[in-house]
Amino acid sequence: MGYEDQPKRVSTTENEKDIHTDFTNNMTYGEYLQLDKILSGQNRLSDHHDEMLFIIIHQVSELWMKLILHEMTAAIESIEKGEMQTSFKQLARVSKTQAQIIQAWDVLSTLTPSEYMEFRDSLGQASGFQSFQYRLIEFALGYKTLHVLKIYEKDVELHRQLQDAFKSPGLYDVAIRALAKAGLTINPDVVDRDYTIPYEQDQSVKEAWLKVYQNVDQYWDLYQLAEKLVDIEDWLQQWRFRHMKTVERIIGFKMGTGGSSGVNYLKKVLDQRFFPELWDIRTEL
């Protein structure tokens, strides 16, 4: 069969006659996503090839954290309103997003110690320790330390935003309120506590959650809420562990660029607990 006898190959796009190609007066995909801003923000401070990886991994993680905060803030509001089913969807999305952000460490771990040392000095004192979104996530989970606010005094509006979050009830606070609203006995000092102080375990909260798990049919919504909270803390601790091991793999036990003790600091935060009673009752069930 000669060339002229061969069937004409038609591209997939040629078969799609309704695909829009004229965007003279219409918004494009890139314009909607503002890709010009997003893709122009990867500015290396060194000439080293692998700094691009380092920048993109951290930018992507910050985008995922923005989504986590978006959903977590909405979930806190939903629980306060008693809209439990809505909060479950929001909290489930938080957990799925956490799974994505954990995988970023697998990509960053392709960076070797020798490669990182080629551009590490370019970072100066900039460090992931200074991530304000990560602080907002910690605040939403009830872990609050006053001294970290000083890091953000350079930006007045950002500092105000963090101060507001610092004073606001977190996810576990509204969950405990939900226990009280359901008629379970909760220590009033816990329900109306000072939210700027890190949460401490309370026997009444432990007994309330224990009753929920022992009477699942009666407290089905609270039971689902408890498991969503456990999911979130579980994923967060897995993220922290992968963070610690990736840092150890790349810089060993060197001090962090932000002045922290590096791996030693990251090991310590693995001991932090956000919803302690939900873990403790598992031993007693």
Side-chain angles (χ1 to χ4, degrees):
M1 183 171 64
Y3 176 79
E4 65 279 359
D5 298 322
Q6 293 182 10
K8 183 180 179 182
R9 294 185 180 181
V10 180
S11 70
T12 304
T13 53
E14 287 179 358
N15 283 329
E16 297 290 341
K17 301 300 182 183
D18 294 327
I19 289 179
H20 296 289
T21 57
D22 183 0
F23 289 91
T24 306
N25 298 310
N26 294 300
M27 178 178 63
T28 66
Y29 169 82
E31 289 169 339
Y32 172 67
L33 295 177
Q34 298 186 60
L35 291 180
D36 55 336
K37 295 180 181 179
I38 295 173
L39 299 180
S40 63
Q42 296 73 44
N43 301 310
R44 290 179 290 168
L45 298 180
S46 74
D47 294 327
H48 198 274
H49 173 85
D50 294 305
E51 189 181 355
M52 183 65 74
L53 162 68
F54 192 82
I55 292 171
I56 289 176
I57 286 295
H58 287 84
Q59 288 181 337
V60 168
S61 295
E62 290 291 337
L63 284 172
W64 282 131
M65 281 192 274
K66 185 171 185 176
L67 180 58
I68 287 172
L69 283 167
H70 179 69
E71 298 296 343
M72 201 176 286
T73 301
I76 289 172
E77 294 176 0
S78 295
I79 295 168
E80 286 271 67
K81 295 176 183 176
E83 299 171 356
M84 294 302 222
Q85 293 301 320
T86 302
S87 75
F88 298 157
K89 175 64 177 293
Q90 292 157 342
L91 294 175
R93 186 171 289 162
V94 169
S95 294
K96 291 295 185 182
T97 307
Q98 287 176 296
Q100 293 298 314
I101 205 170
I102 288 170
Q103 292 181 353
W105 297 122
D106 293 337
V107 183
L108 187 58
S109 66
T110 64
L111 182 67
T112 69
S114 298
E115 291 164 346
Y116 183 46
M117 287 304 108
E118 290 291 326
F119 63 86
R120 188 179 192 238
D121 288 345
S122 300
L123 305 180
Q125 295 179 327
S127 166
F129 184 83
Q130 298 146 17
S131 168
F132 74 88
Q133 291 197 122
Y134 181 72
R135 294 301 168 199
L136 288 170
I137 290 172
E138 283 192 328
F139 290 174
L141 294 175
Y143 183 74
K144 299 177 180 181
T145 51
L146 184 61
H147 73 276
V148 301
L149 290 177
K150 187 171 180 61
I151 297 171
Y152 310 100
E153 289 178 350
K154 180 179 179 179
D155 186 326
V156 175
E157 177 56 31
L158 177 58
H159 190 249
R160 184 201 60 76
Q161 181 184 348
L162 283 152
Q163 284 181 314
D164 289 345
F166 191 81
K167 298 173 184 176
S168 300
L171 190 55
Y172 202 42
D173 294 311
V174 296
I176 291 172
R177 285 183 189 174
L179 291 172
K181 289 176 183 176
L184 292 157
T185 303
I186 301 293
N187 179 356
D189 292 338
V190 176
V191 177
D192 299 314
R193 72 185 192 86
D194 181 352
Y195 300 121
T196 65
I197 299 173
Y199 176 77
E200 293 185 5
Q201 290 181 246
D202 185 89
Q203 185 62 27
S204 69
V205 174
K206 180 179 178 181
E207 290 173 359
W209 283 126
L210 191 59
K211 188 171 182 180
V212 167
Y213 274 77
Q214 290 172 335
N215 300 273
V216 172
D217 292 340
Q218 183 179 354
Y219 300 106
W220 178 246
D221 278 354
L222 291 171
Y223 173 70
Q224 288 188 86
L225 175 59
E227 285 299 294
K228 291 289 187 290
L229 296 181
V230 170
D231 284 343
I232 287 172
E233 181 164 352
D234 190 348
W235 281 113
L236 182 68
Q237 293 295 61
Q238 290 186 54
W239 181 88
R240 284 175 158 180
F241 179 78
R242 289 294 295 121
H243 184 189
M244 182 268 293
K245 293 306 292 182
T246 303
V247 170
E248 183 178 0
R249 175 173 178 158
I250 296 173
I251 67 167
F253 285 81
K254 293 184 182 72
M255 181 179 288
T257 51
S260 75
S261 58
V263 170
N264 287 326
Y265 169 79
L266 296 173
K267 284 184 176 180
K268 288 177 185 176
V269 299
L270 284 171
D271 293 329
Q272 292 173 0
R273 304 175 80 199
F274 299 97
F275 317 130
E277 292 89 355
L278 289 176
W279 294 95
D280 290 346
I281 62 170
R282 281 157 161 73
T283 306
E284 301 182 26
L285 286 169

